Amino acid sequence: MSGREAAALLTTAAAVLAAAPAALAAVPRVEAMVIARDSSRFGPRSVHAGAARVNACRVPAATPLAVLAAFDRAGGPPFRARGECSALYVFQIGRDRARGREGWVYKVGHRLGTTAAADPSGPFGTGRRLGGEQRVAWFWCVSAGRCQRTLEVVRPPRRVPAGRGVRVAVRAYDDNGRGVPARGVRVALGRTTAVTGADGTAVLIARGHGRQTLRAAGRGLVPAFPEPVVIG
């Protein structure tokens, strides 16, 4: 090998190594959750939404379908999709198969996605794909175009003194991300439970010590992402 060839090889290797961190940085870590038709919950789980292969299609990284594929690889329920590679449609997750106006949809944050789950233009067709620390929920929608609302605990506390009462606020979001106070929702901190009033709030007494989980769920609603809370 000549000196010139060796120099070219070293330059190429350096370029590959330099590009590796950038490529890794382009694969976001997101929090994912799957809610089945019977309201059973899988996750949440933090996954790297890297590029994947579904059927014979390459699914771009940082898309909702890449998240679902990563969730599947991490032990989540298996899924099935069909259609052209540019518009893959997830028609089954676990045992639940789409039928009529019922089927599987995804939300990023509070909003229902407006594009196919593998669309490279991102979940809302803006050219922006998923970013780090975003939340993606795949859930069974009871009526396309008018899915049940999804719950979220508003500004959850991260640490609460033992024995102290803490007021928890819960909101319910429609397909477009419009939220209203969630009335009649059961919230739980560890084994302590309460039901939200008309203003969407409830008071819980922090019992025990250490890390516990704050949850919110209601009949006919998609449960909130669980929130970790340290007591003590």
Side-chain angles (χ1 to χ4, degrees):
M1 181 184 294
S2 69
R4 181 174 296 177
E5 290 172 329
L9 183 61
L10 288 172
T11 300
T12 301
V16 170
L17 290 173
L24 290 174
V27 178
R29 178 173 282 278
V30 302
E31 194 174 5
M33 185 167 68
V34 173
I35 307 298
R37 184 182 175 209
D38 64 0
S39 296
S40 57
R41 176 173 56 82
F42 300 90
R45 181 166 289 175
S46 179
V47 298
H48 276 113
R53 185 161 292 278
V54 175
N55 301 342
C57 304
R58 183 183 182 278
V59 174
T63 58
L65 190 52
V67 171
L68 186 60
F71 195 79
D72 179 17
R73 292 194 300 271
F79 69 92
R80 298 174 66 190
R82 63 189 173 205
E84 299 293 329
C85 292
S86 59
L88 283 169
Y89 167 60
V90 175
F91 67 92
Q92 183 172 350
I93 301 179
R95 294 176 297 178
D96 297 331
R97 187 184 179 104
R99 57 188 187 186
R101 295 183 63 81
E102 296 181 88
W104 289 97
V105 297
Y106 68 86
K107 266 191 176 183
V108 177
H110 302 146
R111 292 177 58 201
L112 202 69
T114 58
T115 65
D119 194 314
S121 69
F124 306 112
T126 61
R128 282 189 170 187
R129 298 190 198 175
L130 298 173
E133 306 306 320
Q134 284 188 289
R135 284 177 165 176
V136 177
W138 280 88
F139 65 95
W140 180 266
C141 172
V142 297
S143 181
R146 194 174 182 180
C147 298
Q148 63 272 41
R149 289 178 179 258
T150 54
L151 298 176
E152 181 183 76
V153 178
V154 181
R155 293 186 294 277
R158 296 305 177 194
R159 182 178 291 272
V160 179
R164 181 75 60 83
V166 56
R167 184 172 293 277
V168 175
V170 184
R171 292 183 69 81
Y173 294 88
D174 66 11
D175 293 355
N176 298 311
R178 291 187 293 262
V180 296
R183 179 178 186 173
V185 167
R186 183 170 296 278
V187 292
L189 180 58
R191 290 183 292 179
T192 304
T193 64
V195 177
T196 58
D199 63 352
T201 71
V203 176
L204 292 164
I205 304 299
R207 304 188 187 280
H209 293 275
R211 183 186 174 100
Q212 295 192 22
T213 302
L214 178 61
R215 304 177 188 275
R219 186 174 181 179
L221 300 168
V222 178
F225 274 80
E227 304 287 354
V229 179
V230 176
I231 298 178

